Amino acid sequence: MTQSLYIKLAVLFIRLDIYREEREWRAAHRRVKIDYPHLNAHLLRDIGADPDGRIAYNAPPKQRATKTVRHLRRYLSSRRIT
């Protein structure tokens, strides 16, 4: 007996949701933690650290980076060599 299409879709959406949550958890816990006890909150914020001592780093999306590289390659390869 085959599974219903609705059950297959539900399983797919649940798996995608679990994958998204795992990715977010990994990204949140992958951040570098620094320990500078002599710095105050203002100096930590100036160097880009959160109050809990973790570096706030927002990487650009991969899709945007690959698109930029593709355009740069096209631009540089279309130049005439003189």
Side-chain angles (χ1 to χ4, degrees):
M1 196 162 129
T2 61
Q3 289 184 346
S4 168
L5 178 65
Y6 296 116
I7 292 175
K8 288 181 181 179
L9 279 175
V11 169
L12 174 71
F13 288 140
I14 290 171
R15 285 183 181 165
L16 288 174
D17 188 44
I18 291 172
Y19 177 72
R20 181 189 54 82
E21 287 177 1
E22 286 179 358
R23 215 176 37 201
E24 288 176 1
W25 184 86
R26 274 192 231 111
H29 288 83
R30 190 182 314 138
R31 295 176 20 196
V32 177
K33 186 168 183 157
I34 58 173
D35 185 24
Y36 291 123
H38 58 280
L39 296 181
N40 61 14
H42 298 290
L43 289 175
L44 286 173
R45 190 176 61 222
D46 286 343
I47 64 172
D50 291 337
D52 63 348
R54 294 192 182 270
I55 299 294
Y57 174 71
N58 295 326
K62 283 187 175 183
Q63 185 179 15
R64 174 84 173 139
T66 55
K67 191 176 193 180
T68 304
V69 169
R70 187 174 60 236
H71 288 296
L72 284 174
R73 283 184 183 156
R74 186 181 309 142
Y75 173 72
L76 292 175
S77 66
S78 66
R79 290 177 155 188
R80 292 184 176 219
I81 300 174
T82 57

